[in-house]
Amino acid sequence: HIRHAWSAAASRNDRGSKELLLNPLTICRTDKEKCLIEPSVNSVRISIQIKQADELEEVLCHKFTRFLMQRADQFIIMRRKATKGYSISFLVTHAHLEKMWKDKLIDFVIQFMEDIDKEISAMKLAVNSRAR
């Protein structure tokens, strides 16, 4: 039964097919800071909404994520365009998992989430100190 489902999914070339998508999972720390994990048969999309407490953080976050997404080829799993309502998105395919270590890939995404908050906070402090 499972083998049939896999072969049926593999034989279709319809990217928008609802049968190929699994249940999405949203993890929220606050309403302004959340992560959406959208698994499918052969990939998973991870979208991150970065905390933006004020207007300055919104501008810094937008500029920084745009800078990173323009260099998405160097990050391999990063998407050039984020999912609507999120700051940045990653797409991990089956091919990526064959080439990379799974635990290192997970560590990268978690470390990225921690570091981007630190970077934006540091940029905000730098902007505020220059304003004085």
Side-chain angles (χ1 to χ4, degrees), residues 72-127:
D73 295 339
Q74 296 169 0
F75 286 97
I76 301 171
I77 62 169
M78 187 178 291
R79 296 185 71 217
R80 289 198 174 274
K81 189 165 165 97
T83 304
K84 187 173 177 147
Y86 290 86
S87 306
I88 201 156
S89 294
F90 298 98
L91 180 67
V92 181
T93 64
H94 181 69
H96 292 135
L97 294 177
E98 288 179 341
K99 294 177 188 172
M100 301 176 197
W101 291 337
K102 292 175 190 154
D103 54 340
K104 295 290 183 186
L105 202 55
I106 293 166
D107 289 345
F108 167 76
V109 173
I110 293 169
Q111 190 66 45
F112 180 87
M113 291 169 63
E114 292 172 357
D115 289 348
I116 200 158
D117 279 341
K118 290 176 191 171
E119 287 292 327
I120 291 173
S121 296
M123 285 189 279
K124 184 177 177 181
L125 287 172
V127 168

